[in-house]
Amino acid sequence: MNLTLYVWRQKGPKDAGRLVRYEAKDVSPDMSFLEMLDLVNEGLVRKGDDPIAFDHDCREGICGMCAQVINGIPQGPQKKTTVCQLHMRHFKNGDTIYIEPLRARAFPVIRDLVVDRGSLDKIIQSGGYISAHTGGVPDGNAILIPKDDADRAMDAAECIGCGACVAACPNGSAMLFTAAKVTQLATLPQGRTEAARRVCVMTEEMLGQGFGNCGNHYECQAVCPKDIKVQFIAKLNREFIKARLK
Amino acid sequence: MILDGKTPSGPLPEKWDKRKQEMKLVSPANKRKYRIIVVGTGLAGASAAATLGELGYNVESFCFQDTPRRGHSIAAQGGVNAAKNYPNDGDSIYRLFLDTVKGGDFRARESNVYRLAQVSGSVIDQAVAQGVPFARDYAGYLDNRSFGGAQVSRTFYARGQTGQQLLLGAFGSLMRQIRVGSVKLHPRTEMLDLVVVNGEAKGITVRDLVTGEVSSHAADAVCLCTGGYTNVFYLSTNAAGSNVTATYRAFKKGALFANPCFTQIHPTCIPVTGDHQSKLTLMSESLRNDGRVWVPKTKGDSRAPGDIPETDRDYFLERKYPAFGNLAPRDISSRAAKEVCDEGRGVGPGGRGVYLDFANAIGRLGEGTIRERYGNLFEMYGQITAENAYQQPMRIYPAPHYAMGGLWVDYNLESTIPGLFVLGEANFSDHGANRLGASALMQGLADGYFIISYTIANYLARATPGAVTTNHAEFLKSREDVACFTSKLLAINGKRTVNEFHRELGRLMWENVGMARSEASLKSALSLIPRLRAEFWENVKVTGTGTELNQELEKAGRVADFLEFGELMALDALHRNESCGGHFRVEYEMPDGEAKRDDENYCYVAAWEFKGVDKAPELHKEPLTFENVKLAVRSYK
Ligand SMILES: Cc1cc2nc3c(=O)[nH]c(=O)nc-3n(C[C@H](O)[C@H](O)[C@H](O)COP(=O)(O)OP(=O)(O)OC[C@H]3O[C@@H](n4cnc5c(N)ncnc54)[C@H](O)[C@@H]3O)c2cc1C
Ligand code: FES
């Protein structure tokens, strides 16, 4: 099939950036969206033009690197699917596709579709872990964890840190990302000791990094490729209140 | 040169304790004076950097992704082994050791493998303490599953995302150290050279992938945790960025490269669909717990799988290996699949595929249980193939997956360059000629959490901290070399893209140095690769400049290294006149088609020394001695 693309091109953080039109020819329905971009890029390189810069690595939906905005939707139109797992069979011949970087105050554009998501790491650095030193920990079975709790922690832990939730949020909030980590660790007995401090410092760091606050729009859950639920935000809020009451 | 693995003397179970007691320590007050560079933030790198930071060393951590959490380890699906014997099914440290040595077809160093089995339990304890949500049973205990090459259940897992969860655990610890200031992070930074001063590793030269700036970093020791090289085949299950550059450039600086021809072809991957394909996707081996592998009995049977009655199906793994059945080790299962496809009994477009069928398990356990066990894998399969594996069997085919070979290291994980340590998939030490499932995660974390902290101290205790700075002539030269390499690539301005060269190299490697190798195919690879390399340096087109984010340039550097490394692989495969594990030479096969080892002549590690591009590398040997297991023909029947 043949497609018309409008792709955001921006040389660097200071460049204004613009949408540029490209024709993608002979696209196979079995290609992934990134393989379609590979095809366009090879054509550009052959002509001596700069290829479109985009982030990617695993190409199997788990590293979280490839997030971009397709037709206005972070991570593209297919529910619960990263861009690298989106296949061209979901488009049809003659379609026009708009491709842009994730947009948020906390994610400055580096080049074309590549953005800086280092602010998400800063949130984790503030307290998104259990402070367990290497060695000197108890046997894995010394702590029994009810299966439901382990499953719930795992549901939250599936977040791939792609940042789609931030780009979808009208406030540019990283609340879903933060809440997922808070929930994972607060649901497990190992993580309870630091739970109160963790929820406070992580929320504070999130706001400090230029992310907005949660306005209950729930756009985040709608675009999340891993189906992380907004219930975790409610859990974060409960943890936050508990911490404040202490 | 006969290589000394520096294995401690004494009985196997006491070796590691003995070595730990012999080794020097660095006092707490002195640790912060030492700077350690850790390249890579996969399981090995993240766990090493976090642990060394915790101990008080000054750590610099590097990765080419935008954040350490995206290291390729994130993609591991199935699980991590440990000899906990929680299920009480007969497991022990000795059995895990034995399975791993046998699985590796007796081409690994006994002492290393035993230590790996010894510390495996601590890896699980550590991960649990960090909040890794491993699967649990209803009583709240950790759950286990079985994996290929073992008859016990010793694999711990977190749904189909074990690598992700283990990595995020290590990442959390790393982030904590970054906050404390003991680790400094350099994301989007690629190591392009190792700096060796007076014969010791004292730093690296890197390119900032955003600005293009080339700079060097000096340290008292360097750890390479840069993963494996199976992207030399272009199509593999590895992440797009996985490469050989860091280890290959260390090789060029004098580190020996061990067993480069030992690569693993994983039996359960989604078959190739077309030329556009940029990677092959693994379907975790854990699926073989419940999936049954089969092809039609007769050639050219084009009926839909559901229309083929039981009597017309050949469950070839169950037939050939009744004791292990669908859980036969990877090399054996891959070769068996290739064999039936070569006979013309393959399924799917192009006939390069076999069925992995869950109908039986769904009938027995219900769709719900199967969904709970493998839901995300079935979903991934559906996204890629548009087929529903709950209703029809999956189609799978072997694909390049893992590198057993890597930089040579001794028992202390130190390479032949003092001060250069190599951890995880980047080294060669524990898996011999074939790695068993769920043991790479175990090894990466064992190296990073529990081994390097002891062995690096022993080296540092003898070094003066901060002895060399980046003003040293070797650093200047290294920066010049890197800058020169970059400008050379940009100046060619030829006609073919980097991807075209990579694809062509990959095809050539797969056909000639892939699952079945022969003297003729290897010789042909050895004549084709230098030609392709020469063409690359004359005709590759790399757009843009060196002073900006330039992904074509990044790829070009990596492909340039693969174009040299491929030759080393072929050479190693040609010199090894035997079949063992993943290295299958068609000339050396048993009457029943199994690999025919030659312990008389090839029971050694082949470690190659760089002598110049277009010059033959020199072979060094580390003899392998087996004091605790009997060298035997591997049998899974
Ligand atoms: C799809 C898949 C599934 C798997 N499933 C399992 C499983 O279930 N169980 C199991 O035990 N094993 C599994 N494996 C194998 C296992 O995941 C890997 O062997 C292991 O994770 C490697 O870890 P590592 O830390 O050594 O390297 P990697 O995780 O590959 O990390 C390499 C790191 O090095 C960095 N790097 C590389 N080169 C450079 C450079 N030049 N400069 C700067 N940084 C650099 C990268 O940024 C990255 O952070 C699987 C592998 C794949 C591909
Ligand atoms: S490339 Fe890793 S999630 Fe898409």
Side-chain angles (χ1 to χ4, degrees), chain B residues 70-88:
Chain B
R70 309 205 203 282
H72 158 64
S73 297
I74 198 94
Q77 302 168 351
V80 52
N81 284 336
K84 285 276 198 188
N85 194 27
Y86 285 155
N88 192 29

Short mmCIF file of all heavy atoms in Angstrom, two decimals, chain B residues 70-88:
data_model
loop_
_atom_site.label_atom_id
_atom_site.label_comp_id
_atom_site.label_asym_id
_atom_site.label_seq_id
_atom_site.Cartn_x
_atom_site.Cartn_y
_atom_site.Cartn_z
N ARG B 70 16.18 0.75 29.95
CA ARG B 70 15.87 0.15 28.66
C ARG B 70 16.94 -0.83 28.17
O ARG B 70 16.91 -1.29 27.05
CB ARG B 70 15.64 1.23 27.61
CG ARG B 70 14.66 2.30 28.06
CD ARG B 70 13.98 3.00 26.92
NE ARG B 70 13.46 4.31 27.28
CZ ARG B 70 12.34 4.53 27.97
NH1 ARG B 70 11.63 3.52 28.39
NH2 ARG B 70 11.95 5.76 28.23
N GLY B 71 17.92 -1.16 29.02
CA GLY B 71 18.94 -2.14 28.64
C GLY B 71 18.26 -3.39 28.07
O GLY B 71 17.17 -3.76 28.49
N HIS B 72 18.92 -4.02 27.14
CA HIS B 72 18.31 -5.14 26.40
C HIS B 72 17.76 -6.25 27.31
O HIS B 72 16.80 -6.92 26.95
CB HIS B 72 19.35 -5.67 25.42
CG HIS B 72 19.12 -7.06 24.97
ND1 HIS B 72 18.02 -7.42 24.24
CD2 HIS B 72 19.82 -8.19 25.16
CE1 HIS B 72 18.06 -8.71 24.00
NE2 HIS B 72 19.14 -9.21 24.55
N SER B 73 18.31 -6.40 28.51
CA SER B 73 17.80 -7.42 29.44
C SER B 73 16.30 -7.28 29.69
O SER B 73 15.64 -8.24 30.10
CB SER B 73 18.51 -7.30 30.79
OG SER B 73 19.88 -7.54 30.68
N ILE B 74 15.80 -6.10 29.49
CA ILE B 74 14.38 -5.82 29.74
C ILE B 74 13.48 -6.80 28.97
O ILE B 74 12.36 -7.08 29.36
CB ILE B 74 14.06 -4.35 29.33
CG1 ILE B 74 12.75 -3.85 29.96
CG2 ILE B 74 13.95 -4.16 27.84
CD1 ILE B 74 12.90 -3.13 31.23
N ALA B 75 14.00 -7.32 27.84
CA ALA B 75 13.16 -8.13 26.97
C ALA B 75 13.09 -9.60 27.37
O ALA B 75 12.30 -10.36 26.81
CB ALA B 75 13.67 -8.03 25.53
N ALA B 76 13.89 -10.02 28.35
CA ALA B 76 13.88 -11.44 28.71
C ALA B 76 12.51 -11.80 29.26
O ALA B 76 11.91 -11.05 30.03
CB ALA B 76 14.96 -11.74 29.74
N GLN B 77 12.02 -12.93 28.84
CA GLN B 77 10.62 -13.25 29.13
C GLN B 77 10.48 -14.32 30.20
O GLN B 77 9.85 -14.15 31.23
CB GLN B 77 9.95 -13.74 27.84
CG GLN B 77 10.00 -12.72 26.71
CD GLN B 77 9.59 -13.29 25.36
OE1 GLN B 77 9.42 -14.49 25.20
NE2 GLN B 77 9.42 -12.42 24.38
N GLY B 78 11.10 -15.49 29.91
CA GLY B 78 10.70 -16.71 30.60
C GLY B 78 11.01 -16.84 32.06
O GLY B 78 10.15 -17.24 32.86
N GLY B 79 12.23 -16.53 32.48
CA GLY B 79 12.51 -16.71 33.90
C GLY B 79 13.97 -16.78 34.23
O GLY B 79 14.84 -16.62 33.37
N VAL B 80 14.22 -17.00 35.51
CA VAL B 80 15.58 -17.03 36.03
C VAL B 80 15.74 -18.26 36.91
O VAL B 80 14.90 -18.55 37.77
CB VAL B 80 15.90 -15.71 36.79
CG1 VAL B 80 14.84 -15.40 37.84
CG2 VAL B 80 17.28 -15.73 37.43
N ASN B 81 16.80 -19.00 36.70
CA ASN B 81 17.03 -20.23 37.45
C ASN B 81 17.67 -19.97 38.81
O ASN B 81 18.43 -19.02 38.97
CB ASN B 81 18.00 -21.14 36.68
CG ASN B 81 17.31 -21.83 35.52
OD1 ASN B 81 16.09 -21.99 35.52
ND2 ASN B 81 18.09 -22.24 34.54
N ALA B 82 17.39 -20.84 39.75
CA ALA B 82 18.11 -20.85 41.02
C ALA B 82 17.91 -22.20 41.67
O ALA B 82 16.82 -22.78 41.61
CB ALA B 82 17.61 -19.74 41.94
N ALA B 83 18.98 -22.67 42.30
CA ALA B 83 18.93 -23.99 42.93
C ALA B 83 18.36 -23.88 44.34
O ALA B 83 19.03 -24.18 45.32
CB ALA B 83 20.33 -24.59 42.97
N LYS B 84 17.13 -23.45 44.44
CA LYS B 84 16.50 -23.30 45.76
C LYS B 84 15.87 -24.61 46.22
O LYS B 84 15.61 -24.78 47.41
CB LYS B 84 15.41 -22.22 45.67
CG LYS B 84 15.93 -20.79 45.59
CD LYS B 84 16.22 -20.29 46.99
CE LYS B 84 16.32 -18.77 47.04
NZ LYS B 84 16.77 -18.34 48.38
N ASN B 85 15.53 -25.44 45.29
CA ASN B 85 14.81 -26.67 45.59
C ASN B 85 13.54 -26.43 46.42
O ASN B 85 13.16 -27.25 47.25
CB ASN B 85 15.72 -27.69 46.31
CG ASN B 85 15.11 -29.09 46.33
OD1 ASN B 85 14.33 -29.42 45.43
ND2 ASN B 85 15.41 -29.87 47.33
N TYR B 86 12.86 -25.32 46.20
CA TYR B 86 11.59 -25.08 46.90
C TYR B 86 10.56 -26.18 46.59
O TYR B 86 9.84 -26.61 47.48
CB TYR B 86 11.01 -23.72 46.53
CG TYR B 86 11.70 -22.52 47.16
CD1 TYR B 86 11.64 -21.27 46.54
CD2 TYR B 86 12.37 -22.62 48.37
CE1 TYR B 86 12.23 -20.17 47.10
CE2 TYR B 86 12.97 -21.50 48.94
CZ TYR B 86 12.89 -20.28 48.31
OH TYR B 86 13.48 -19.18 48.87
N PRO B 87 10.48 -26.64 45.33
CA PRO B 87 9.46 -27.68 45.06
C PRO B 87 9.83 -29.06 45.61
O PRO B 87 9.03 -29.98 45.51
CB PRO B 87 9.39 -27.73 43.53
CG PRO B 87 10.13 -26.55 43.03
CD PRO B 87 11.12 -26.18 44.09
N ASN B 88 11.02 -29.21 46.19
CA ASN B 88 11.41 -30.49 46.76
C ASN B 88 11.46 -31.59 45.70
O ASN B 88 11.11 -32.73 45.97
CB ASN B 88 10.43 -30.87 47.89
CG ASN B 88 10.94 -32.04 48.72
OD1 ASN B 88 12.15 -32.23 48.84
ND2 ASN B 88 10.04 -32.82 49.27
#
